[in-house]
Amino acid sequence: MRFDDEFIFRTEDISPQELVDIFVATKTDRDNLNYIKSKSPLLLEGSRGTGKTMLLRVAEKEMDENFNSSRELAVFINFSKAIFVDAYKDIVYFRNWMFSKILFALKRKLEKKGILLSATGILGNYFGFIDKEENILLKLDDFIYALENSWSNKTFDISEKASEIFGVDLKRIGIIRDVDYFKALIEDICETCKIKRIVMLFDEACHNFIPLQQREFFTMFRDLRCPFISCKAAVYPGITSYGTFQTFHDAMVKKVERDITSSDYLEKMREIVKNQVGEDTYSIFVKNGENFNSLIYAASGNPRLLLKSLFMASEDLKSLKIGNVNSTIKNFYRTNIWNEHTKLSDIYKGHKKLIDWGRWFVENKVLQETINKNEKRKSEEKYQQTIFFTIHRDAPAVVKQSIRILEYSGIISLHTEGTKVRTEVFDRYQVNFGVVLASETKSTPVSRYREIISNLSIKLYSEYGINSPSYENIDELNSVETEVDIKHVLENLLHEPIDKLDITTFQCDTLKNVGFTTLQDILSAKEEDLQRAYGIGPKKARKIYNIAFNATIEYISG
């Protein structure tokens, strides 16, 4: 239990000790945890903040606790720094980076389990040189660091750097460039250490990979399949390039979602909040039950949206007044969430018209028809309400592409795939409930939310057929360019001033005083360099670096 009354919005900031106290499992979560721990390859799909990283971390912890009896080893691998690897110079850079990250994580996990490879000589054999086990790990770390900083070095030469670090030609180190060598190493480790299989948990696998990297990752994901390796990855709906990877044949896909109509939805979402604050703070929320509940339902099952909106509405967890709750829902779901969606067009410029059209379609067609339908039925005392709409399976490709991008942003979510409407087949979608409440003009969110949620019916929806008249101006949408010059975007972003970071004015000023004025200044520095600033110790330096890094990642990811 935490008592410092400061929400943790990202799983990356949760310590292993806090994980058990904070995690709240629904039945779907438990099912997904079982799939994560199973043998089959798995893609865990959900928009930002739905809890994919949390599930991977909890699965790892549960497998760790049972390792001695099951001999199944979970290895968590974070790929969040993928955007910093300059894959455009040569895709082999990225392949080397992926295998190096996996090896580094695997080696550390084996050590934590008390399994040392030094006596076996396995690693040395596969690296093509004789060296102590701990030296190989240090060299891997140096190599990963060099690759993650390749974006800032125009003259970076991977072969030269590898020779400098490892003392041998890169071509002799097949383990970090060839999947067959890698699988052979894993097999040898498993047989030598009596490990049944290794479950690789890839986090941020596609959130910020550029399409070129995504295709390379999924090729590796598919090729790693063998009796000794089970791959699982957190992925996002929408902008993902699978290449020759076929989601139906090459992996199971399970969605991370919380159904707002489930009987335990309110209880579970309240518990998420309760596990992060002290009793006094939580009692403030409980005493203002309707205000609290309206924020919970507005979040549409997304824990991060709930925590962020609750923090805003409660004036930093001090109160929960009805006026603040109404204005927060209006602003957060009418402005903030849409701004995040629109920001995607700055990164995926080839998608700009699709992104803009998708927003126009939802705001001007779907939301308007939804609100009109609800108001009409209410006035006729028919009571049934909706937040659903359907798109015909054979609707124009550009329409479906726009819808997928809206899923990525969390504006909408797929509710039912392939539902029959008369003789035609449609996909049923659900609009984020907060977005619906924020669009209401005749009533406030707190006074309206229960009317809708109590009478919500999946049988009531707006229907958009193959050639719906609502698909206006789709002929003007250009073909999508999937490739992105992420290096150019990254260079522009890194010149942004640190004033935009979520740090105090004092911290900002003191950092500027010692020369840290841009994001690049912070990300290019080591944490001890940041400590030159007055009042910045080791703990604050780590937090400031993470804030700068996450700000970069979130911008690139949209």
Side-chain angles (χ1 to χ4, degrees), residues 29 155 203-204 250 317 331 337 345 347 363 383 433 479 552:
D29 289 333
T155 61
D203 192 35
E204 302 289 358
D250 295 325
L317 311 183
N331 294 330
I337 198 170
S345 61
I347 309 300
E363 287 190 315
Y383 300 116
F433 191 32
S479 59
T552 308

Side-chain angles (χ1 to χ4, degrees), residues 246-421:
Q246 296 180 316
T247 54
F248 180 78
H249 296 287
D250 295 325
M252 291 190 298
V253 179
K254 294 296 175 182
K255 293 187 177 296
V256 180
E257 55 191 17
R258 290 169 180 80
D259 184 0
I260 62 175
T261 64
S262 64
S263 58
D264 64 347
Y265 173 76
L266 200 61
E267 173 193 346
K268 295 295 185 182
M269 294 297 279
R270 279 189 167 212
E271 194 175 342
I272 288 173
V273 176
K274 185 178 183 180
N275 288 354
Q276 288 219 30
V277 296
E279 292 182 8
D280 290 343
T281 300
Y282 187 68
S283 67
I284 294 173
F285 303 151
V286 173
K287 288 175 183 176
N288 295 276
E290 284 298 280
N291 299 343
F292 191 17
N293 292 347
S294 64
L295 288 165
I296 289 173
Y297 278 107
S300 294
N302 186 309
R304 192 180 300 169
L305 293 182
L306 170 59
L307 295 176
K308 286 192 172 185
S309 59
L310 180 57
F311 190 78
M312 292 169 59
S314 63
E315 299 179 298
D316 299 351
L317 311 183
K318 295 181 179 65
S319 65
L320 200 59
K321 300 173 183 175
I322 188 169
N324 289 339
V325 172
N326 282 324
S327 61
T328 294
I329 292 176
K330 289 283 187 180
N331 294 330
F332 191 82
Y333 293 99
R334 192 163 56 192
T335 304
N336 296 32
I337 198 170
W338 278 114
N339 287 345
E340 290 297 306
H341 176 73
T342 302
K343 194 169 65 178
L344 280 171
S345 61
D346 294 334
I347 309 300
Y348 299 93
K349 293 188 182 299
H351 292 71
K352 178 174 171 51
K353 288 190 176 181
L354 288 176
I355 292 166
D356 292 344
W357 186 88
R359 176 171 184 169
W360 172 87
F361 175 66
V362 169
E363 287 190 315
N364 294 280
K365 297 298 181 179
V366 176
L367 279 172
Q368 287 304 311
E369 290 185 34
T370 298
I371 291 168
N372 291 341
K373 195 181 296 286
N374 285 341
E375 286 295 332
K376 185 173 186 295
R377 295 187 70 83
K378 184 181 174 184
S379 66
E380 295 172 351
E381 297 186 351
K382 293 181 179 178
Y383 300 116
Q384 282 186 324
Q385 301 283 278
T386 183
I387 56 174
F388 305 104
F389 69 99
T390 60
I391 298 286
H392 197 284
R393 269 291 182 86
D394 296 324
V398 290
V399 171
K400 293 192 286 186
Q401 181 78 11
S402 295
I403 293 298
R404 283 195 290 270
I405 299 172
L406 287 159
E407 283 187 82
Y408 175 90
S409 301
I411 306 292
I412 65 171
S413 58
L414 180 64
H415 183 274
T416 311
E417 194 170 9
T419 184
K420 205 77 174 285
V421 180

